[in-house]
Amino acid sequence: MINMQVRGETGDIVVNGSSRLDWMNALQHVDADKHPFLGSLLPFADTMFNSRQTVKLRQEVADQSARELLGHDATAEIERLCLQVEGESHL
């Protein structure tokens, strides 16, 4: 499972996501050419997105095929956390 968090520039956790992504059942099936940000997620490694990248990530999860793979709760959580990163500095 992959946990989602928003962290500050010093690494402190600002917000913990409430949804977790199941890599085995969803993310390993993501088309990395079509969804490069989702396709870059690994179950046992940290992946960070800056505010410019979260805009692209939100575009990926808006795609119907990504929504079907991830489910409504995880998609809504990703969008919420991305918007928080985009709306504040140094996250």
Side-chain angles (χ1 to χ4, degrees), residues 19-34:
S19 295
R20 297 174 66 188
L21 295 174
D22 186 341
W23 189 86
M24 291 300 291
N25 290 327
L27 292 175
Q28 73 174 353
H29 302 293
V30 168
D31 180 347
D33 291 330
K34 186 175 181 180

Side-chain angles (χ1 to χ4, degrees), residues 7-13 90:
R7 292 184 179 226
E9 66 181 329
T10 60
D12 54 312
I13 297 172
H90 307 293

